[in-house]
Amino acid sequence: MTTQQAVGTSPSERARVLVQGAYDLHVHVAPDVPQRRIDDRTLAQRFAELGLAGFALKSHYTSTAERAQVVSADFPEVRVVGTLTLNRAVGGMNALAVEIAAREGAQIVWMPTVDSPAETAGRTEPKDGDKVPQWARLQHELRGLGLSVGAVHVTDSDGRLLPETRDVLRAIARHDLILATGHLDRDDTFAVVDGALEEGVAHIVVTHPEFPCQNFSLDDQRALAERGCLLERCLSTPLSGKTDWEHVFDGVRAVGIKRSLFSSDCGNPDYPPVEDGLALWADRLLGGGFDEDEVREMIVGQSRRLAGTA
C-alpha cells in the first residue's frame, strides 16, 4: 500500500480556503535526478488555480535559482523560490556555491541532506531485505562509478565548526538568505545554529525536527526556538510513518505557534499531490485541536513572512 493510499483522503474545502495565500517552502519536483510526481511548471499552474502564493524548489544536487526565475516569469501569479543544498554535488561546504546561488536569486540554503554524516544509508552496504531509499541507491551507484560521495562535515572531531562552514554562514548572512539545517544531527545542528547567530544570520529554519536521523527532544526543540529558530514540520515525516502526528503536535505546543512553520516536503511518487500538502496539514492540525487562526498563522503567516511577502 502506498503512502497516499494509506491516507486515503483529499483535503477538505475548509482547509483549501484556510491555506490560500501560503507558500510551501519545501517541495521536490521535476526536473530532478530522482523520479518526481509533477514538474515545476505544472505545479505552478495548480498553485495558481488553488490560490497558493508559491513554493521553494528543493534539489539535493544543484541550485534551483535560475530555474525558479524562469517558472516565476511564466506564472507571474505564483512566486517560485530558488534554493541551494550543500551536498557533495555542489562542493559541500562551499561558500563560492552559496555566493553564486545568491547572485542568481536563491533565497534558501540547506545544510547537507543526503550527504549529511547522520544519513548513513547511502554509505553503508545494504543487507538483504533492507528498504533502500531512492537517494541512497543513487549514492551507491555513484560510488560504483568511482565518484566521491563521502559525507559533508560541518564540524571537526571536537564538535567545532569547520572554517569552511564559517565561510558559508558568512555568505548566507551577507546576502540575508534563509539558513535551513537539512539532515544534520542534533549536535551539528546546535553548532551550526549557534555559529549562524554569531555570524549574523537572521533567518534560521530547523528542518523536520522529527526526522529519524535528528529526532530532537522537546527540550531540544524549545532550546532551538529560544535561539530564534523556526521549527519546520514537514508533512512527509508523519505521512511516511517516520513519526506520529501527535508527536508533531506535541512539538508545536512545546515551542509555540510563533516558532512553528509547516511545509509538505512532497514530490515523491507515492506521496499525495504536492499542491494538496498544505491543506492536508491544515486538516490534520484542525483535527489535532488547533483553531483556524492558529493554523492559518503557522501555514500562511509564517511562510509569507519567511518568503518576504507578508
Side-chain angles (χ1 to χ4, degrees):
M1 179 181 292
T2 67
T3 303
Q4 187 179 1
Q5 289 169 336
V7 174
T9 59
S10 296
S12 68
E13 194 57 36
R14 176 191 184 193
R16 293 269 195 214
V17 172
L18 195 57
V19 301
Q20 286 181 348
Y23 284 81
D24 189 342
L25 294 175
H26 192 154
V27 306
H28 297 274
V29 297
D32 201 356
V33 179
Q35 182 183 358
R36 301 302 183 189
R37 67 170 296 145
I38 192 171
D39 67 83
D40 49 17
R41 291 171 53 81
T42 306
L43 183 63
Q45 180 64 50
R46 292 186 182 173
F47 266 52
E49 293 166 356
L50 292 168
L52 295 165
F55 53 89
L57 290 170
K58 184 176 183 182
S59 167
H60 293 300
Y61 306 104
T62 189
S63 167
T64 65
E66 294 179 356
R67 174 178 151 202
Q69 290 188 49
V70 171
V71 179
S72 292
D74 285 347
F75 299 90
E77 64 271 50
V78 174
R79 179 163 167 253
V80 183
V81 176
T83 74
L84 177 71
T85 306
L86 296 175
N87 287 317
R88 185 65 63 188
V90 299
M93 285 296 104
N94 183 358
L96 177 59
V98 176
E99 184 69 27
I100 295 301
R103 294 180 185 220
E104 291 175 320
Q107 193 170 345
I108 302 173
V109 175
W110 272 279
M111 287 287 113
T113 55
V114 297
D115 291 329
S116 164
E119 287 285 16
T120 60
R123 296 187 300 277
T124 304
E125 286 303 316
K127 302 181 182 65
D128 290 342
D130 283 355
K131 183 179 179 181
V132 182
Q134 61 177 344
W135 66 264
R137 291 196 297 271
L138 176 61
Q139 301 292 83
H140 291 299
E141 180 182 341
L142 295 173
R143 186 174 293 103
L145 295 172
L147 298 171
S148 174
V149 286
V152 174
H153 293 274
V154 298
T155 58
D156 63 21
S157 59
D158 294 320
R160 295 174 298 205
L161 286 183
L162 294 169
E164 52 264 41
T165 306
R166 288 277 179 189
D167 289 342
V168 162
L169 295 176
R170 291 181 186 120
I172 291 171
R174 182 164 59 248
H175 291 281
D176 196 28
L177 305 179
I178 298 162
L179 166 67
T181 58
H183 292 207
L184 296 180
D185 69 11
R186 186 249 183 221
D187 291 347
D188 277 351
T189 295
F190 273 90
V192 164
V193 167
D194 289 342
L197 293 172
E198 292 166 3
E199 299 299 341
V201 175
H203 314 288
I204 306 174
V205 173
V206 176
T207 313
H208 43 47
E210 306 88 6
F211 210 69
C213 67
Q214 297 149 301
N215 196 19
F216 294 105
S217 69
L218 295 183
D219 284 342
D220 283 341
Q221 293 187 42
R222 290 187 192 96
L224 290 162
E226 288 167 0
R227 286 164 164 78
C229 300
L230 283 174
L231 284 293
E232 179 198 19
R233 321 290 177 173
C234 292
L235 181 70
S236 63
T237 310
L239 196 66
S240 58
K242 295 181 179 69
T243 191
D244 60 71
W245 302 97
E246 196 56 41
H247 180 57
V248 177
F249 301 154
D250 287 343
V252 175
R253 297 182 187 106
V255 306
I257 303 299
K258 296 294 185 183
R259 288 294 157 200
S260 294
L261 167 73
F262 284 79
S263 62
S264 74
D265 195 9
C266 283
N268 281 1
D270 59 343
Y271 287 170
V274 179
E275 67 272 18
D276 288 355
L278 296 181
L280 286 171
W281 253 140
D283 277 329
R284 288 287 184 172
L285 287 163
L286 292 167
F290 298 92
D291 65 34
E292 287 192 358
D293 288 343
E294 291 172 327
V295 173
R296 185 162 177 82
E297 169 62 18
M298 291 187 288
I299 295 178
V300 182
Q302 295 287 32
S303 67
R304 291 184 66 83
R305 280 191 293 275
L306 199 58
T309 59

